């Protein structure tokens, strides 16, 4: 498809309320300026500290399996990360509705505080005390990240129209930069001289400081709106929108396989006898490539459109999930890590933009994002534990690769169906 301009999330709100007591509503978007870029950078920091930490769980999966939770199976440990990812997306139901009503700063400040508390509580968890880690890292940090995601991404659309796609992908790239920095820091602290407690505290201190800065930078342009579509009305519209249904199904099913390399690549490398140092940096290689993928996704979208780029990234990701069957050497880890990381980065960058394309009414975009992420949450919840169960205690790696590759193929097929519906819709509207 050609270029698809993302809908303006705040356009409806602009027509309902003045920007100030002395100004009349207008369709003007700054598309730049200090306040606009400060808000975008604040969103970037939020992504760095939340989803960037979530997708760094592979470090913890390896550390817990071999050192800190040796009394638990890989599948049981994976539930910590998968519940975190589940709540990250499920909490969008709440944050999406609150965003549509204008409560951006309240969400950002409250959820930032929750993220800081959760990570400092994680540092107090004792070895082989699964429930302590599960409550703080799985539930507490997952809820905080979920409440922060939608407002930090969507608020950017209140400032940018012409460059909205590029700016949104910039904000989303904070997650992949975080997924580069956090594994380096965690691997060198958890496995270093300072140990688990101080290593997690150092990480929590970095995240708390950056979120503190983000709370000052993020500022919405519009006051809370009293006029908003009810959740049930939005859900009813979604249920009668084939393109939205296929898009949400694609996100949900692909998410089942999406987290497999993020959670298991480092452990996979270590269990195949590769050096400990290289295994530590296998996630860094993949996440660095993801960062590049997110940064370049905006350029690709300019030429091919959001749906086509998203479909292409999931097709490549599916092929590479199957390719994990052949992971044996350093060269195979590097190759798969770079290629999968790049496709995964594009996929992550386009979650919000594709839902914007699928939302004809900008005033209910927050709710539509929340609904899609709630379904997607179930994919992230069940995927890693199923993979762990398939691996068993004997680590039979081909089983996980085949299962997650099949899930990726089904998800990619849903995105192809979504494109077909969108093309028919565009044709009928001409």
């Amino acid at each position: 498809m050609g270029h698809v301009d993302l809908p303006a999330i705040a356009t409806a709100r602009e027509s309902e309320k003045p920007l100030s007591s002395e100004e009349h509503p207008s369709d003007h978007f700054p598309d730049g300026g200090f306040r606009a870029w400060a808000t975008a950078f604040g969103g970037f920091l939020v992504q760095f500290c939340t989803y960037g930490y979530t997708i760094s769980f592979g470090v913890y999966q390896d550390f817990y399996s071999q050192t800190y939770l040796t009394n638990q199976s890989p599948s049981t440990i994976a539930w910590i990360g998968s519940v975190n990812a589940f709540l990250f997306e499920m909490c969008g139901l709440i944050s999406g509705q609150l965003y549509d009503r204008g409560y951006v700063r309240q969400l950002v400040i409250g959820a930032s505080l929750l993220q800081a508390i959760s990570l400092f509580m994680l540092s107090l968890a004792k070895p082989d005390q699964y429930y302590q880690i599960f409550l703080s890292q799985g539930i507490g940090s997952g809820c905080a990240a979920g409440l922060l995601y939608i407002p930090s991404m969507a608020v950017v659309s209140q400032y940018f129209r012409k460059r909205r796609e590029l700016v949104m992908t910039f904000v989303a790239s904070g997650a992949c930069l975080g997924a580069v920095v956090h594994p380096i820091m965690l691997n060198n602290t958890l496995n270093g001289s300072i140990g688990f407690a101080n290593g997690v505290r150092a990480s929590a201190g970095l995240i708390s400081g950056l979120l503190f800065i983000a709370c000052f930078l993020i500022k919405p342009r519009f006051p809370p709106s009293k006029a908003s579509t009810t959740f049930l009305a939005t859900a009813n519209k979604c249920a009668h929108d084939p393109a939205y249904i296929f898009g949400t199904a694609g996100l949900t099913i692909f998410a089942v396989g999406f987290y497999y390399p993020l959670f298991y690549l480092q452990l996979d490398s270590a269990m195949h006898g590769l050096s400990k140092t290289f295994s530590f940096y296998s996630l860094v290689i993949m996440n660095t490539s993801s960062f590049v993928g997110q940064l370049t996704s905006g350029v690709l979208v300019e030429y091919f459109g959001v749906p086509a780029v998203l479909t292409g990234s999931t097709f490549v990701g599916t092929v590479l999930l199957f390719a994990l069957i052949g992971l044996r050497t350093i060269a195979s880890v590097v190759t798969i890590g770079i290629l999968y990381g790049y496709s995964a980065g594009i996929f992550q960058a386009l979650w919000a933009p594709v839902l914007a394309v699928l939302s004809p009414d900008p005033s209910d975009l927050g709710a539509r994002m929340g609904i899609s992420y709630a379904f997607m949450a179930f994919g992230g919840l069940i995927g890693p534990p199923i993979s762990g169960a398939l691996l068993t205690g004997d680590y039979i790696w081909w089983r996980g690769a085949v299962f997650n590759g099949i899930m990726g193929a089904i998800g990619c097929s849903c995105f192809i169906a979504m494109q077909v519906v969108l093309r028919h819709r565009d044709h009928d509207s001409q």
Side-chain angles (χ1 to χ4, degrees):
M1 294 179 65
H3 169 69
V4 181
D5 189 28
L6 295 183
I9 295 175
T11 302
R13 216 178 276 139
E14 278 191 317
S15 64
E16 294 163 3
K17 289 204 169 196
L19 299 181
S20 73
S21 59
E22 298 180 355
E23 294 177 340
H24 294 288
S26 70
D27 291 328
H28 173 69
F29 284 75
D31 274 312
F34 175 78
R35 176 50 56 195
W37 286 111
T39 298
F41 184 64
F44 176 92
L45 292 179
V46 167
Q47 297 300 310
F48 179 97
C49 297
T50 54
Y51 194 54
Y53 206 79
T54 294
I55 58 179
S56 300
F57 185 76
V59 176
Y60 284 105
Q61 179 77 32
D62 183 17
F63 181 75
Y64 291 155
S65 297
Q66 301 195 62
T67 305
Y68 215 69
L69 292 176
T70 54
N71 62 336
Q72 303 292 336
S73 69
S75 179
T76 303
I77 292 171
W79 276 108
I80 300 170
S82 64
V83 166
N84 183 292
F86 170 78
L87 291 173
F88 168 79
E89 290 146 359
M90 180 60 72
C91 286
L93 281 174
I94 300 172
S95 61
Q97 285 283 295
L98 292 176
Y99 171 82
D100 285 339
R101 287 168 171 78
Y103 298 107
V104 176
R105 288 189 59 77
Q106 293 89 333
L107 280 169
V108 171
I109 294 172
S112 295
L113 182 61
L114 177 59
Q115 176 76 334
I117 293 173
S118 298
L119 294 182
F120 278 109
M121 292 302 294
L122 174 62
S123 72
L124 301 177
K126 302 301 181 184
D128 294 326
Q129 296 299 308
Y130 180 83
Y131 77 96
Q132 295 177 355
I133 295 174
F134 182 84
L135 289 175
S136 57
Q137 187 173 16
I139 295 179
S141 180
C143 288
L147 292 173
L148 281 165
Y149 179 75
I150 288 179
S152 66
M153 283 292 295
V155 71
V156 173
S157 68
Q158 297 186 12
Y159 290 92
F160 295 91
R161 170 174 285 175
K162 295 179 181 178
R163 291 180 286 183
R164 184 174 295 136
E165 292 163 334
L166 290 173
V167 177
M168 288 182 79
T169 54
F170 162 73
V171 173
S173 70
C176 281
L177 181 61
V180 173
V181 175
H182 296 313
I184 295 175
M185 184 176 185
L186 291 169
N187 272 318
N188 285 282
T189 53
L190 299 182
N191 298 282
S193 59
I194 68 174
F196 177 81
N198 289 328
V200 174
R201 285 176 195 138
S203 179
L206 171 66
I207 287 173
S208 300
L210 294 178
L211 287 177
F212 181 77
I213 295 172
C215 288
F216 282 96
L217 294 177
I218 295 176
K219 184 178 180 182
R221 287 182 68 204
F222 308 108
S225 175
K226 295 180 181 179
S228 70
T229 307
T230 65
F231 176 80
L232 290 178
T234 301
N236 184 59
K237 287 194 293 184
C238 293
H240 294 85
D241 186 340
Y244 179 86
I245 292 172
F246 279 123
T248 299
L251 290 171
T252 302
I253 298 170
F254 192 81
V256 175
F258 173 73
Y259 289 100
Y260 179 63
L262 303 180
F263 281 25
Y264 288 102
L265 182 64
Q266 180 170 321
L267 182 60
D268 194 350
S269 302
M271 297 303 293
H272 274 96
L274 304 183
S275 71
K276 189 174 183 180
T277 300
F278 176 77
S279 297
F280 283 174
Y281 285 93
S282 60
L283 272 183
V284 176
I285 292 170
M286 182 170 64
N287 291 331
T288 301
S289 184
S290 291
F291 180 60
V292 176
Q294 288 206 344
L295 289 179
T296 57
S297 61
V299 178
L300 295 173
V301 163
E302 289 288 329
Y303 288 96
F304 303 106
V306 173
V309 176
L310 179 66
T311 304
S313 72
T314 56
F315 176 79
V316 173
T318 297
V319 173
L320 294 167
L321 286 170
F322 281 115
L324 284 168
I325 297 173
L327 189 146
R328 295 287 186 280
T329 63
I330 291 178
S332 63
V333 173
V334 171
T335 301
I336 293 174
I338 290 175
L339 295 177
Y340 185 83
Y342 188 80
S343 65
I346 295 175
F347 177 69
Q348 293 166 22
L350 298 184
W351 288 358
V354 77
L355 291 173
V357 170
L358 296 172
S359 301
D361 184 358
S363 67
D364 62 9
L365 178 55
R368 281 177 171 259
M369 289 174 71
I371 293 170
S372 289
Y373 291 158
F375 280 101
M376 191 176 176
F378 286 99
L381 176 68
I382 66 175
I386 290 176
S387 298
L390 290 171
L391 291 176
T392 71
D394 297 325
Y395 295 103
I396 306 173
W397 291 102
W398 68 265
R399 292 180 178 177
V402 171
F403 168 75
N404 290 289
I406 292 172
M407 292 297 102
I410 297 172
C412 181
S413 299
C414 290
F415 289 128
I416 293 173
M418 176 192 73
Q419 282 193 272
V420 172
V421 174
L422 286 174
R423 286 175 179 171
H424 281 297
R425 180 183 295 173
D426 292 341
H427 177 74
D428 294 339
S429 64
Q430 292 177 354

